[in-house]
Amino acid sequence: MSKYKSVIVIIASVLVIAGGIAELIYIDKTFEEFIERIDYILAQDQYSVEDVKDTEEWLKRKHKGLEFLIPHDQLNELSISFNEVSGAVERQDYEAASAMLHRTREYAIRLNDLYSLRIQNIV
Amino acid sequence: MLVVIFRSLIILVFLIAGMRLMGKRTIGEYQPFEFVIVLAVAELAATPMQDISTPIIYGLVPLITVFVVHFILSSINKKSIRLRKFLNGKPMIVIDKDGINSQALKELNMNTDDLMGMLRGQGCFSIEEVNYAIMETNGKLSIMQNENAPGSQSIPMSVVVEGKIMGENIKNINLDKQKILDIIREKNLKLNEVLLMTLDSKKVFIQPINGKYMTFEAQDV
């Protein structure tokens, strides 16, 4: 029985550690890509509706996966924030869109930091 | 609502598996570090069951971690006496041939009432009935009974506990405070040197803080 218990404990430990590493990588890559997409949009003089809609769709898909890893309230805040950007760009209100994009970008950076393996998050 | 049911079921499955991994001990038999783990597990399991905005892994991963740590510590415990002593403490003799070991009680953060209560729980109503009592690391009291001890006539009444006179108790047996002080003085003791003094009909039991206990028949009580 003790042997089986040891095997279970080893498997559980490996799964938790491997899952933790995979989670870190997945969250980091997702947010990095999101920030890159925002930077690409911000670099343009007039924000393209297509680029914004494309990122919005991309975020919707990622949102579902991230829901397994990140508390939903924080994810919802991110999605709603980007949807506001989308609305502003559609109205061609680029000033408002720029402010919202910067806000969303900063929020994504903060979220990524929050779920990364940093001493500040441990202590 | 269904979401909460499913989440609760998932967490329960993990909890049961984890508790099975901990072994077949009951709560009263847990060592201090196991008790800490049980307390932590209870708290960890409750929140993710009901908070549906938090991914369930936030409940499962700490649970698995705690159970794995418990398994590792238990495995090392089996081999290392030093770690066992560090995590669980060591059994302590609280009653020996001299009576109550007040130093041991102090180290265990126990008082005389706690000890007397535990003794009564074991069916012993006076210190004389016990040769040795050992406080085990799981918080249980093991006793070696004194076969030659004279049986009690009634339940011994505590009249002095840790240097303080039990006003209500002496009122119940119609005894005045001065009589208690006189008995103590007769034995060349001061009130604050008495750890426990009990009366059983005319039989007096005095356990000084330092030294062997004494029993004698008292007049006019």
Side-chain angles (χ1 to χ4, degrees):
Chain A
M1 188 62 184
S2 185
K3 263 188 185 174
Y4 291 120
K5 280 186 180 177
S6 302
V7 171
I8 292 168
V9 167
I10 290 166
I11 292 171
S13 306
V14 169
L15 282 177
V16 167
I17 293 167
I21 294 168
E23 179 213 26
L24 276 179
I25 295 170
Y26 179 72
I27 290 177
D28 190 54
K29 284 204 161 189
T30 307
F31 280 113
E32 261 183 22
E33 190 177 343
F34 184 55
I35 292 160
E36 272 173 24
R37 281 170 175 266
I38 291 178
D39 285 343
Y40 177 75
I41 296 166
L42 277 169
Q44 295 164 353
D45 290 335
Q46 282 197 337
Y47 305 143
S48 147
V49 179
E50 279 168 23
D51 288 340
V52 172
K53 286 284 173 196
D54 184 45
T55 303
E56 198 181 344
E57 281 303 312
W58 174 88
L59 186 60
K60 254 183 208 168
R61 286 197 304 275
K62 291 291 176 186
H63 189 122
K64 297 221 187 306
L66 286 171
E67 274 184 340
F68 289 108
L69 308 170
I70 293 178
H72 302 182
D73 301 344
Q74 293 166 345
L75 277 179
N76 290 344
E77 172 73 24
L78 190 73
S79 293
I80 290 166
S81 183
F82 196 78
N83 282 2
E84 282 180 343
V85 173
S86 179
V89 172
E90 270 184 313
R91 288 196 321 271
Q92 297 184 335
D93 184 354
Y94 299 120
E95 269 184 29
S98 170
M100 286 170 196
L101 272 170
H102 279 99
R103 181 188 177 281
T104 312
R105 185 182 186 278
E106 189 60 26
Y107 189 60
I109 291 169
R110 297 281 162 223
L111 267 187
N112 195 14
D113 280 351
L114 189 62
Y115 294 98
S116 60
L117 187 65
R118 302 185 313 149
I119 189 74
Q120 292 92 330
N121 292 343
I122 296 169
V123 179
Chain B
M1 197 70 86
L2 279 175
V3 174
V4 176
I5 293 171
F6 283 121
R7 288 169 75 96
S8 304
L9 287 175
I10 292 169
I11 287 170
L12 272 178
V13 168
F14 272 81
L15 265 182
I16 291 166
M19 295 306 278
R20 288 282 294 114
L21 211 63
M22 282 182 76
K24 279 193 175 178
R25 283 197 268 188
T26 59
I27 283 182
E29 292 165 344
Y30 283 140
Q31 296 295 340
F33 88 94
E34 291 174 314
F35 192 65
V36 168
I37 282 173
V38 170
L39 285 183
V41 161
E43 187 62 32
L44 288 172
T47 315
M49 276 187 190
Q50 42 188 320
D51 184 4
I52 60 168
S53 70
T54 307
I56 201 163
I57 55 162
Y58 282 73
L60 296 183
V61 170
L63 276 181
I64 294 169
T65 308
V66 164
F67 286 131
V68 166
V69 168
H70 172 263
F71 184 84
I72 293 167
L73 284 178
S74 303
S75 304
I76 302 171
N77 247 357
K78 281 179 202 159
K79 290 178 182 135
S80 165
I81 293 172
R82 212 177 273 180
L83 181 75
R84 208 179 304 167
K85 273 188 186 165
F86 175 73
L87 288 175
N88 304 338
K90 53 182 181 178
M92 287 187 93
I93 297 174
V94 286
I95 297 175
D96 55 22
K97 294 277 189 194
D98 289 344
I100 300 171
N101 183 341
S102 58
Q103 193 55 39
L105 284 188
K106 208 181 274 180
E107 282 179 39
L108 288 163
N109 276 329
M110 279 179 71
N111 57 46
T112 314
D113 288 332
D114 294 333
L115 179 65
M116 295 307 287
M118 292 180 101
L119 280 179
R120 287 193 292 271
Q122 298 270 18
C124 294
F125 289 85
S126 82
I127 304 291
E128 277 179 288
E129 292 175 36
V130 180
N131 268 338
Y132 288 97
I134 299 168
M135 182 55 75
E136 305 292 354
T137 55
N138 61 9
K140 290 200 166 175
L141 189 71
S142 303
I143 58 168
M144 181 197 275
Q145 275 186 308
N146 181 3
E147 304 293 340
N148 303 320
S152 298
Q153 305 297 313
S154 56
I155 295 174
M157 188 73 83
S158 300
V159 288
V160 177
V161 176
E162 291 158 8
K164 292 189 178 63
I165 293 176
M166 299 289 105
E168 208 161 304
N169 287 1
I170 61 169
K171 211 184 281 173
N172 286 343
I173 52 173
N174 297 319
L175 205 68
D176 72 289
K177 205 173 164 180
Q178 195 51 51
K179 181 68 194 165
I180 303 282
L181 293 172
D182 290 344
I183 295 172
I184 292 171
R185 202 173 303 125
E186 272 171 31
K187 296 294 165 187
N188 295 321
L189 287 168
K190 290 176 191 159
L191 182 62
N192 61 10
E193 290 171 342
V194 177
L195 184 67
L196 179 69
M197 177 176 172
T198 63
L199 272 175
D200 176 7
S201 300
K202 282 190 180 301
K203 195 171 145 197
V204 182
F205 169 94
I206 296 181
Q207 171 72 62
I209 289 174
N210 298 310
K212 189 175 167 55
Y213 69 81
M214 51 190 101
T215 54
F216 52 91
E217 294 274 327
Q219 302 304 313
D220 313 324
V221 289

